[in-house]
Amino acid sequence: MSHALPIDLRLPLDRALTALLARRGAALGVPEELCAAQYSNKGSQFQCNGALAAARALKRAPRQLAEEWAASLSAEERALFSTLEVAGPGFINLSLSDEVLAARSALALADERLCVPRVASPERVYIDFGGYNVAKQLHIGHLRSTIIGDTLQRVLRFVGDEVVSDVHLGDWGTQMGMLIEAVREERPGLPYFEDAAPAGGFPAESPLSLADMNRLYPAASGRAKEDEAFRARASLATAELQRGHVGYRALWRHFVALSVAEVRHDIAPFGVEFDLWCGESDAQPLIPELVARLQAEGRAELSEGAWIVPIADERGEPMVPLMLLKRDGGATYHTSDLATVVMRVREGADRALYVVDARQEMHFRQVFAAAAQTSLGARARGGVLALEHVKFGTINGADGRPFKTRSGDTVKLRDVVEMAVEAARARLEEGGLLADADEETRASVAQAVAVAAIKFGDLSNHRASDYVLNLSDFCSFEGKTGPYLLYAAVRVKSILSKAAERGLAAGPVVLRGEHDRALALALSRLPGVVAQVHAKKTPHLLCEYLFELSQDWSAFYQHCNIVREEDEAQRAGWLSLAALCLKTLTTGLGLLGVEVPERM
RNA sequence: GCGCUUGUAGCUCAGUGGAUAGAGCAGUGGCCUUCUAAGCCAUUGGUCGCAGGUUCGACCCCUGCCAGGCGCGCCA
């Protein structure tokens, strides 16, 4: 296939075929948007349904139109296909010849990006995820934001967007006041409660340990629910802190530092990186100006002593207004998020994503509406900042309620990892796997398997819906799971290294039967899947694809023994196909933040 | 009351207006002197919540109803 083909094989195959069909369809009057070829599972590799849709407008019989369309391909174009036929009421079914599919495989293997195109117009995208709070330990509720957000930053970067990820720490709420009051009660002699700094400044050392903070905060939080006087003091301390009380500020900086260190520790197993470690507090300086601006523009109104911003939904119906300033003059999280919008605009963002629990949907609808209906979202160079709430559902237990331990407590994130590592280790030992490996290797493999199980398990659920986490399914490592994918990828690695040991060389891809053909076809689907994940922010599509690819690999593996294959050209071709498979799996899993160990 | 969301196989869930609605688990029956059986092959299992409507064609779009979940101005 060295001569020029009538399609561009570097394109995603369905798009390449669409272009071909559109060229011929145009002559028949079929509108371009109806010429789409799509991957099919109806016996052929691709199908085009355009004739059915176009027949009415063209006043043609759909079946006849389809036949005429198919027949209008040139001989050279026809030669691309092993089958090209019209079925049923007018479906055009297409399957590429093995040579074309092999040529496509070779192109992908030679390409760093596996023929995944970059987006036509890259954007500068800020992604807020994590959603951790100072003084609150990470729990299972932080899992989804962390790994969905991380996957999205990886996918967006891969397709060429300029991504800035921000952890957006919850460092500015009432919980800060509670903690200050709790510290005051236990250690009233500390210098932080005076109105001015001591002569030599505040001590650099934190007055409390992480353990202190983790003990004090839950107690204070629980107490605030019952003790009104305490709640009032905490509220006052919060206000003082926000007004700039030097001692409280100094103390607060210790809270933040302790929490950041703990967050880094807790997310370390997931390999998640943030570009920015900003918090709500960083947006606060923008608030006075923002409020003044809305007041001057007449967008803010005084209502029952509070400043609100009236907003409307897409249909122009009034929504619950946005609370800008409370009666006591304090800002709310509405205000804080509006200030963040202003920050993003100043930082030159085209788009801001908020990977946050679906229960906050109304909140974001309000903030986004306010940004769109005032001047706040307007970018200096024109247009508005695109705002998107990438919402995700709740992780539930078997009872359909948010996941808890048997005793009803929230599950700490580190315990989730711990449980998964234990399960992975038990499974490795049970199977007698890695029996010859040293302890360090076994530990690192158990860790890799556990993280893959957690990430894939979570990401393979549609992000917007709730899902039931079943710990025994989760630990079984069978079926559509992260470990299955790792296992598939490890077996590819194993073959490639075995072939290398024996000096078996790879060569041009040769497809011979249903299994290698199915694998090559599956491998060609990556670009379309990545594009969909990028457009819809839906990692589960990538999970689904990688699982199907792994199944196609496993079937091929079972039926075609590469190393033992005696036909040298066939063996060499299969080695190339295996190499492409490994590259596709590691790339795809990499986009999910999952690393493939050398063995397992 | 208003808003959002969900209802698909025994269980957990996918499903771009296209053909006979899919997967995993569970169930049943096979396959390891052969590159890692965490695997492969075969197979059982459906009123797509209900009723209308639009369409050549609806799990998908529209309307109504039933049932569940979540949210709804001074917590974040």
Side-chain angles (χ1 to χ4, degrees), chain A residues 6-20 23 39 46 96 100-101 103-105 107-108 111 114-118 523-528:
Chain A
I7 57 172
D8 183 353
L9 279 186
R10 254 168 294 266
L11 289 175
L13 287 183
D14 49 356
R15 276 173 50 193
L17 295 181
T18 298
L20 171 68
R23 213 155 61 220
Y39 281 89
F46 301 89
L96 292 168
V100 172
L101 210 47
R104 160 72 193 196
S105 304
L107 277 176
D111 180 9
L114 296 160
C115 291
V116 176
R118 293 177 193 278
L523 288 165
S524 77
R525 286 168 50 206
L526 178 73

Side-chain angles (χ1 to χ4, degrees), chain A residues 20-44:
Chain A
L20 171 68
L21 286 167
R23 213 155 61 220
R24 294 301 170 188
L28 294 165
V30 181
E32 192 175 350
E33 64 273 16
L34 295 182
C35 295
Q38 52 186 281
Y39 281 89
S40 171
N41 55 6
K42 294 289 190 289
S44 63

